[in-house]
Short mmCIF file of all heavy atoms in Angstrom, two decimals:
data_model
loop_
_atom_site.label_atom_id
_atom_site.label_comp_id
_atom_site.label_asym_id
_atom_site.label_seq_id
_atom_site.Cartn_x
_atom_site.Cartn_y
_atom_site.Cartn_z
N THR A 159 0.83 -1.20 -0.03
CA THR A 159 0.01 0.02 -0.02
C THR A 159 0.90 1.24 -0.01
O THR A 159 1.78 1.38 0.84
CB THR A 159 -0.92 0.03 1.24
OG1 THR A 159 -1.71 -1.13 1.27
CG2 THR A 159 -1.82 1.27 1.18
N THR A 160 0.70 2.12 -0.98
CA THR A 160 1.46 3.36 -0.98
C THR A 160 0.64 4.51 -0.44
O THR A 160 -0.60 4.49 -0.53
CB THR A 160 1.95 3.67 -2.41
OG1 THR A 160 0.82 3.88 -3.25
CG2 THR A 160 2.78 2.52 -2.99
N PHE A 161 1.29 5.51 0.08
CA PHE A 161 0.54 6.62 0.69
C PHE A 161 1.32 7.92 0.66
O PHE A 161 2.61 7.91 0.64
CB PHE A 161 0.10 6.31 2.10
CG PHE A 161 1.26 5.94 3.03
CD1 PHE A 161 1.92 6.92 3.79
CD2 PHE A 161 1.67 4.61 3.16
CE1 PHE A 161 2.97 6.58 4.62
CE2 PHE A 161 2.74 4.28 4.02
CZ PHE A 161 3.38 5.24 4.74
N MET A 162 0.63 9.04 0.65
CA MET A 162 1.20 10.37 0.72
C MET A 162 0.46 11.16 1.79
O MET A 162 -0.77 11.01 1.91
CB MET A 162 1.07 11.09 -0.61
CG MET A 162 1.82 10.46 -1.75
SD MET A 162 3.57 10.87 -1.74
CE MET A 162 3.52 12.63 -2.14
N PHE A 163 1.15 11.99 2.54
CA PHE A 163 0.48 12.90 3.42
C PHE A 163 -0.36 13.83 2.61
O PHE A 163 0.12 14.39 1.62
CB PHE A 163 1.47 13.67 4.34
CG PHE A 163 0.84 14.39 5.44
CD1 PHE A 163 0.71 13.82 6.69
CD2 PHE A 163 0.33 15.71 5.27
CE1 PHE A 163 0.15 14.49 7.74
CE2 PHE A 163 -0.24 16.39 6.31
CZ PHE A 163 -0.37 15.79 7.56
N PRO A 164 -1.62 14.04 2.94
CA PRO A 164 -2.51 14.90 2.11
C PRO A 164 -1.92 16.25 1.83
O PRO A 164 -1.46 16.97 2.74
CB PRO A 164 -3.77 15.02 2.97
CG PRO A 164 -3.79 13.76 3.81
CD PRO A 164 -2.37 13.48 4.11
N GLY A 165 -1.84 16.62 0.57
CA GLY A 165 -1.34 17.90 0.16
C GLY A 165 0.17 18.01 0.05
O GLY A 165 0.69 19.10 -0.28
N SER A 166 0.89 16.94 0.29
CA SER A 166 2.37 16.98 0.26
C SER A 166 2.91 16.68 -1.12
O SER A 166 2.26 16.02 -1.95
CB SER A 166 2.96 15.99 1.27
OG SER A 166 2.69 14.66 0.85
N THR A 167 4.12 17.17 -1.38
CA THR A 167 4.82 16.85 -2.64
C THR A 167 5.71 15.62 -2.42
O THR A 167 6.00 14.91 -3.35
CB THR A 167 5.67 18.00 -3.09
OG1 THR A 167 6.60 18.38 -2.05
CG2 THR A 167 4.83 19.22 -3.42
N ASP A 168 6.16 15.38 -1.19
CA ASP A 168 6.99 14.24 -0.86
C ASP A 168 6.62 13.77 0.54
O ASP A 168 6.34 14.55 1.43
CB ASP A 168 8.47 14.65 -0.87
CG ASP A 168 8.97 15.02 -2.23
OD1 ASP A 168 9.38 14.12 -2.98
OD2 ASP A 168 8.93 16.24 -2.57
N THR A 169 6.61 12.44 0.70
CA THR A 169 6.33 11.81 1.99
C THR A 169 7.35 10.68 2.20
O THR A 169 7.57 9.89 1.27
CB THR A 169 4.90 11.23 2.01
OG1 THR A 169 3.96 12.30 1.85
CG2 THR A 169 4.64 10.51 3.33
N SER A 170 7.93 10.65 3.38
CA SER A 170 8.88 9.59 3.73
C SER A 170 8.43 8.95 5.02
O SER A 170 8.08 9.62 6.00
CB SER A 170 10.27 10.15 3.94
OG SER A 170 10.74 10.75 2.73
N ALA A 171 8.42 7.58 5.04
CA ALA A 171 7.99 6.86 6.24
C ALA A 171 9.25 6.17 6.84
O ALA A 171 10.04 5.52 6.10
CB ALA A 171 6.97 5.78 5.89
N HIS A 172 9.46 6.33 8.14
CA HIS A 172 10.73 5.87 8.77
C HIS A 172 10.53 4.76 9.75
O HIS A 172 11.48 3.97 10.02
CB HIS A 172 11.43 7.05 9.44
CG HIS A 172 11.82 8.13 8.53
ND1 HIS A 172 12.48 7.91 7.32
CD2 HIS A 172 11.63 9.51 8.58
CE1 HIS A 172 12.65 9.07 6.72
NE2 HIS A 172 12.19 10.02 7.44
N ASP A 173 9.35 4.62 10.36
CA ASP A 173 9.22 3.56 11.40
C ASP A 173 7.74 3.20 11.53
O ASP A 173 6.86 3.95 11.15
CB ASP A 173 9.80 4.00 12.71
CG ASP A 173 10.16 2.87 13.62
OD1 ASP A 173 10.09 1.70 13.20
OD2 ASP A 173 10.50 3.13 14.83
N MET A 174 7.54 2.05 12.16
CA MET A 174 6.15 1.59 12.41
C MET A 174 6.15 0.75 13.65
O MET A 174 7.03 -0.07 13.90
CB MET A 174 5.61 0.76 11.25
CG MET A 174 4.23 0.26 11.43
SD MET A 174 3.67 -0.60 9.94
CE MET A 174 1.98 -1.08 10.43
N SER A 175 5.14 0.99 14.51
CA SER A 175 5.02 0.21 15.71
C SER A 175 4.25 -1.09 15.46
O SER A 175 3.58 -1.21 14.43
CB SER A 175 4.28 0.99 16.81
OG SER A 175 2.92 1.17 16.46
N ARG A 176 4.30 -2.00 16.38
CA ARG A 176 3.60 -3.26 16.27
C ARG A 176 2.08 -3.01 16.22
O ARG A 176 1.32 -3.76 15.63
CB ARG A 176 3.91 -4.18 17.43
CG ARG A 176 3.20 -5.53 17.43
CD ARG A 176 3.64 -6.40 18.58
NE ARG A 176 3.40 -5.69 19.87
CZ ARG A 176 2.19 -5.63 20.45
NH1 ARG A 176 1.16 -6.26 19.91
NH2 ARG A 176 2.05 -4.98 21.59
N THR A 177 1.65 -1.90 16.83
CA THR A 177 0.23 -1.59 16.88
C THR A 177 -0.23 -0.82 15.61
O THR A 177 -1.41 -0.41 15.56
CB THR A 177 -0.09 -0.75 18.13
OG1 THR A 177 0.75 0.41 18.19
CG2 THR A 177 0.11 -1.57 19.39
N GLY A 178 0.67 -0.56 14.63
CA GLY A 178 0.29 0.02 13.36
C GLY A 178 0.47 1.49 13.22
O GLY A 178 0.08 2.05 12.19
N THR A 179 1.11 2.16 14.19
CA THR A 179 1.38 3.61 14.04
C THR A 179 2.62 3.78 13.14
O THR A 179 3.67 3.23 13.42
CB THR A 179 1.55 4.25 15.37
OG1 THR A 179 0.37 4.15 16.15
CG2 THR A 179 1.89 5.76 15.23
N ILE A 180 2.50 4.61 12.10
CA ILE A 180 3.60 4.95 11.24
C ILE A 180 4.02 6.36 11.44
O ILE A 180 3.19 7.25 11.61
CB ILE A 180 3.21 4.73 9.77
CG1 ILE A 180 2.80 3.27 9.49
CG2 ILE A 180 4.32 5.14 8.81
CD1 ILE A 180 2.20 3.04 8.08
N VAL A 181 5.36 6.63 11.46
CA VAL A 181 5.84 8.00 11.57
C VAL A 181 6.81 8.28 10.46
O VAL A 181 7.43 7.40 9.88
CB VAL A 181 6.50 8.26 12.93
CG1 VAL A 181 5.50 8.09 14.10
CG2 VAL A 181 7.70 7.33 13.17
N GLY A 182 6.95 9.59 10.17
CA GLY A 182 7.89 10.05 9.15
C GLY A 182 7.91 11.53 8.98
O GLY A 182 7.71 12.25 9.95
N GLU A 183 8.03 11.97 7.74
CA GLU A 183 8.04 13.38 7.44
C GLU A 183 7.32 13.63 6.11
O GLU A 183 7.28 12.76 5.25
CB GLU A 183 9.42 13.90 7.40
CG GLU A 183 10.10 13.73 6.02
CD GLU A 183 11.57 13.42 6.11
OE1 GLU A 183 11.98 12.53 6.88
OE2 GLU A 183 12.34 14.13 5.42
N PHE A 184 6.80 14.82 5.94
CA PHE A 184 6.23 15.19 4.66
C PHE A 184 6.73 16.57 4.32
O PHE A 184 7.14 17.38 5.17
CB PHE A 184 4.67 15.19 4.69
CG PHE A 184 4.04 16.23 5.54
CD1 PHE A 184 3.66 17.45 5.02
CD2 PHE A 184 3.81 16.00 6.89
CE1 PHE A 184 3.06 18.43 5.77
CE2 PHE A 184 3.22 16.99 7.70
CZ PHE A 184 2.84 18.21 7.13
N ASN A 185 6.68 16.88 3.03
CA ASN A 185 7.18 18.18 2.55
C ASN A 185 6.10 18.78 1.60
O ASN A 185 5.66 18.10 0.69
CB ASN A 185 8.50 18.02 1.77
CG ASN A 185 9.30 19.35 1.71
OD1 ASN A 185 8.73 20.31 1.30
ND2 ASN A 185 10.59 19.29 2.03
N THR A 186 5.78 20.03 1.79
CA THR A 186 4.82 20.72 0.95
C THR A 186 5.48 21.53 -0.11
O THR A 186 4.80 22.21 -0.91
CB THR A 186 3.89 21.60 1.80
OG1 THR A 186 4.72 22.61 2.46
CG2 THR A 186 3.15 20.79 2.85
N GLY A 187 6.78 21.52 -0.15
CA GLY A 187 7.55 22.40 -1.07
C GLY A 187 8.09 23.63 -0.38
O GLY A 187 9.08 24.20 -0.81
N SER A 188 7.44 23.99 0.72
CA SER A 188 7.88 25.17 1.48
C SER A 188 8.12 24.85 2.94
O SER A 188 8.70 25.68 3.67
CB SER A 188 6.85 26.29 1.37
OG SER A 188 5.58 25.88 1.89
N ALA A 189 7.67 23.68 3.40
CA ALA A 189 7.84 23.31 4.79
C ALA A 189 8.02 21.81 4.92
O ALA A 189 7.44 21.01 4.15
CB ALA A 189 6.61 23.78 5.59
N GLN A 190 8.85 21.42 5.89
CA GLN A 190 9.07 20.03 6.22
C GLN A 190 8.55 19.77 7.63
O GLN A 190 8.94 20.44 8.57
CB GLN A 190 10.57 19.73 6.15
CG GLN A 190 10.95 18.29 6.48
CD GLN A 190 12.47 18.11 6.53
OE1 GLN A 190 13.21 18.98 6.87
NE2 GLN A 190 12.92 16.93 6.15
N ARG A 191 7.69 18.78 7.79
CA ARG A 191 7.05 18.53 9.07
C ARG A 191 6.99 17.03 9.36
O ARG A 191 6.88 16.19 8.44
CB ARG A 191 5.63 19.07 9.09
CG ARG A 191 5.56 20.59 8.87
CD ARG A 191 6.08 21.35 10.11
NE ARG A 191 5.84 22.79 9.95
CZ ARG A 191 6.70 23.64 9.49
NH1 ARG A 191 7.89 23.21 9.06
NH2 ARG A 191 6.42 24.96 9.41
N ALA A 192 6.97 16.70 10.63
CA ALA A 192 6.81 15.33 11.06
C ALA A 192 5.33 14.92 11.01
O ALA A 192 4.46 15.79 11.15
CB ALA A 192 7.36 15.15 12.49
N PHE A 193 5.07 13.64 10.80
CA PHE A 193 3.70 13.17 10.77
C PHE A 193 3.56 11.82 11.44
O PHE A 193 4.54 11.11 11.64
CB PHE A 193 3.13 13.14 9.32
CG PHE A 193 3.62 11.95 8.55
CD1 PHE A 193 2.91 10.72 8.58
CD2 PHE A 193 4.73 12.03 7.73
CE1 PHE A 193 3.35 9.62 7.87
CE2 PHE A 193 5.13 10.95 6.95
CZ PHE A 193 4.45 9.72 7.07
N MET A 194 2.29 11.48 11.73
CA MET A 194 1.93 10.17 12.26
C MET A 194 0.68 9.69 11.52
O MET A 194 -0.19 10.47 11.17
CB MET A 194 1.63 10.32 13.76
CG MET A 194 1.06 9.07 14.42
SD MET A 194 0.57 9.39 16.12
CE MET A 194 2.16 9.70 16.85
N VAL A 195 0.68 8.41 11.22
CA VAL A 195 -0.53 7.77 10.68
C VAL A 195 -0.99 6.71 11.68
O VAL A 195 -0.22 5.85 12.12
CB VAL A 195 -0.25 7.07 9.33
CG1 VAL A 195 -1.54 6.41 8.80
CG2 VAL A 195 0.32 8.03 8.33
N HIS A 196 -2.23 6.83 12.11
CA HIS A 196 -2.80 5.91 13.09
C HIS A 196 -4.24 5.61 12.70
O HIS A 196 -5.03 6.53 12.49
CB HIS A 196 -2.69 6.49 14.49
CG HIS A 196 -3.19 5.56 15.54
ND1 HIS A 196 -2.58 4.35 15.84
CD2 HIS A 196 -4.28 5.59 16.38
CE1 HIS A 196 -3.24 3.72 16.81
NE2 HIS A 196 -4.28 4.45 17.14
N SER A 197 -4.58 4.36 12.66
CA SER A 197 -5.94 3.89 12.29
C SER A 197 -6.41 4.53 10.98
O SER A 197 -7.58 4.93 10.86
CB SER A 197 -6.88 4.25 13.46
OG SER A 197 -6.50 3.61 14.63
N GLY A 198 -5.47 4.69 10.04
CA GLY A 198 -5.84 5.22 8.75
C GLY A 198 -5.92 6.75 8.65
O GLY A 198 -6.16 7.29 7.58
N GLY A 199 -5.67 7.45 9.78
CA GLY A 199 -5.77 8.89 9.81
C GLY A 199 -4.38 9.54 9.86
O GLY A 199 -3.51 9.08 10.62
#
């Protein structure tokens, strides 16, 4: 399954917990921010 943070130009995923939480970073072209994906959100 591939995914992008909504509205981002680039998304990188770095880790995932056993319970399904994914963390990484996204870039909008002007800002770089950390993100979390949990339960599909």
Side-chain angles (χ1 to χ4, degrees):
T159 302
T160 63
F161 56 90
M162 296 281 291
F163 191 92
S166 68
T167 57
D168 295 274
T169 297
S170 299
H172 298 312
D173 201 8
M174 181 176 180
S175 71
R176 180 180 56 82
T177 54
T179 299
I180 298 172
V181 297
E183 83 216 53
F184 69 93
N185 200 311
T186 62
S188 60
Q190 179 186 32
R191 299 289 187 267
F193 77 88
M194 172 186 295
V195 181
H196 183 66
S197 300

